[in-house]
């Protein structure tokens, strides 16, 4: 219940602050998270090291998702947590398909109770052309990235935003929320929107899927942006912090 949830949040907050102050070093996936940690715990900024994540190209061969063969679609993959703002994406899609009735919205990811609730809501509201794929294989995910009109990331809160970067690696033009760390990670390689404004989200998506010149520009920019990140660099940064602490 609500009382238990609030009690857990209080305990969690205290534990976080205590751990942050006692830790010799802290790693965060973005400067946005670093600033958040510093402001929340009041620790010294030089105690926190930003180690950006990276995205890898899927090695499995593309495997067609039969239900989407020969269809134009935009997509999202991931868990349907509240911060991911899938309800906002669905509302924006409803606006778009008024003038683009053949477009399909693909929501990919293992079906759980949250996805089931969203799917039931979509059925109740009689919104068609939304495909809930459930779990997809690596090959199917690669095919989705490579064949979508756009990858849409409507999240209102992220620490890094790996899915959008993974989409870029596979040549998908990305349309993204401009909240939290996303502009820091994606730079100028995506088309941004205000995730709390479904009209703005719909407009950004339409600009990309209806303008082939813009799509190609974003695809090229996406490849370049994704190439800036490296797991090897992240590993070396992490190892260097460990060595520094051990030498002290």
């Amino acid at each position: 219940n609500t009382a238990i949830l609030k009690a857990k949040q209080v305990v969690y907050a205290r534990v976080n602050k205590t751990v942050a102050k006692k830790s010799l070093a802290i790693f965060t996936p973005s400067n946005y998270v670093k600033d958040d940690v510093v402001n929340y715990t009041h620790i010294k900024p030089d105690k926190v090291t930003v180690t950006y994540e990276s995205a890898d190209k899927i090695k499995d061969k593309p495997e067609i998702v039969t239900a989407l063969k020969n269809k134009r679609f935009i997509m999202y993959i991931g868990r349907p947590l509240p911060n991911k703002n899938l309800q906002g994406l669905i509302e924006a899609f409803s606006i778009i398909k008024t003038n683009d009735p053949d477009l399909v919205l693909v929501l990919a990811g293992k079906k759980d109770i949250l996805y089931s609730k969203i799917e039931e809501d979509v059925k109740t509201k009689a919104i068609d052309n939304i495909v809930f794929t459930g779990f997809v294989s690596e090959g199917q995910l690669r095919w989705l990235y490579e064949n979508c009109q756009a990858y849409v990331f409507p999240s209102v809160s992220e620490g890094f935003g790996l899915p959008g970067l993974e989409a870029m690696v596979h040549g998908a033009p990305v349309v993204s929320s401009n909240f939290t760390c996303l502009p820091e990670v994606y730079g100028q390689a995506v088309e941004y929107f205000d995730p709390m404004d479904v009209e703005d989200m719909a407009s950004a998506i339409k600009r990309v899927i209806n303008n082939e010149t813009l799509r190609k520009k974003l695809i090229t920019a996406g490849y370049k942006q994704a190439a800036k990140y490296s797991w090897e660099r992240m590993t070396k940064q992490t190892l260097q912090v460990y060595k520094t602490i051990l030498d002290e």
Side-chain angles (χ1 to χ4, degrees):
N1 59 36
T2 304
I4 293 176
L5 177 60
K6 288 184 177 180
K8 286 182 177 180
Q9 289 174 333
V10 170
V11 172
Y12 186 60
R14 290 177 179 173
V15 169
N16 274 341
K17 289 182 178 180
T18 300
V19 170
K21 290 177 180 178
K22 290 187 175 182
S23 297
L24 295 176
I26 295 173
F27 297 94
T28 65
S30 65
N31 280 300
Y32 174 84
V33 176
K34 174 179 178 177
D35 292 342
D36 202 27
V37 169
V38 169
N39 292 332
Y40 181 69
T41 62
H42 305 294
I43 60 174
K44 293 182 179 180
D46 58 8
K47 192 176 184 179
V48 184
T49 299
V50 176
T51 53
Y52 288 120
E53 298 173 4
S54 184
D56 297 321
K57 182 74 176 286
I58 295 173
K59 295 180 180 180
D60 292 15
K61 292 182 178 179
E63 181 184 346
I64 190 170
V65 177
T66 307
L68 298 168
K69 185 177 182 180
N70 299 323
K71 292 187 177 181
R72 293 173 59 253
F73 62 91
I74 59 176
M75 67 170 289
Y76 163 87
I77 182 166
R79 293 201 62 200
L81 299 171
N83 67 294
K84 301 301 183 180
N85 192 29
L86 295 194
Q87 291 293 355
L89 175 56
I90 290 170
E91 288 181 40
F93 175 70
S94 295
I95 294 171
I96 297 169
K97 77 185 195 71
T98 300
N99 295 310
D100 195 348
D102 294 328
L103 186 69
V104 174
L105 170 61
V106 177
L107 299 178
K110 182 180 179 180
K111 288 190 178 181
D112 56 15
I113 188 169
L114 294 176
Y115 255 134
S116 295
K117 288 181 178 179
I118 293 174
E119 189 169 8
E120 189 61 36
D121 186 55
V122 166
K123 289 180 180 178
T124 300
K125 294 178 180 177
I127 305 174
D128 59 5
N129 281 21
I130 297 182
V131 174
F132 293 84
T133 66
F135 172 80
V136 292
S137 67
E138 288 288 282
Q140 288 174 319
L141 178 56
R142 179 175 175 178
W143 183 88
L144 288 171
Y145 281 142
E146 293 178 349
N147 289 275
C148 67
Q149 292 296 299
Y151 178 84
V152 186
F153 203 45
S155 182
V156 297
S157 179
E158 291 293 326
F160 182 74
L162 190 58
L165 210 63
E166 187 174 67
M168 292 180 195
V169 168
H170 293 88
V174 176
V175 190
S176 171
S177 156
N178 62 7
F179 273 28
T180 60
C181 71
L182 299 177
E184 174 190 345
V185 176
Y186 298 159
Q188 301 301 310
V190 309
E191 190 76 5
Y192 289 108
F193 57 79
D194 178 348
M196 303 308 292
D197 184 341
V198 294
E199 292 281 355
D200 190 43
M201 193 189 308
S203 294
I205 295 170
K206 286 190 288 186
R207 284 196 298 274
V208 174
I209 66 175
N210 294 328
N211 186 327
E212 191 59 28
T213 299
L214 177 57
R215 283 189 78 253
K216 289 180 179 179
K217 178 182 177 181
L218 292 177
I219 290 170
T220 300
Y223 282 133
K224 292 180 180 178
Q225 186 69 14
K228 294 179 181 179
Y229 300 93
S230 163
W231 288 119
E232 182 179 359
R233 186 186 309 119
M234 177 189 181
T235 302
K236 288 180 178 179
Q237 288 176 314
T238 304
L239 184 60
Q240 184 56 52
V241 172
Y242 286 159
K243 287 181 177 179
T244 300
I245 291 174
L246 292 173
D247 290 341
E248 290 180 349

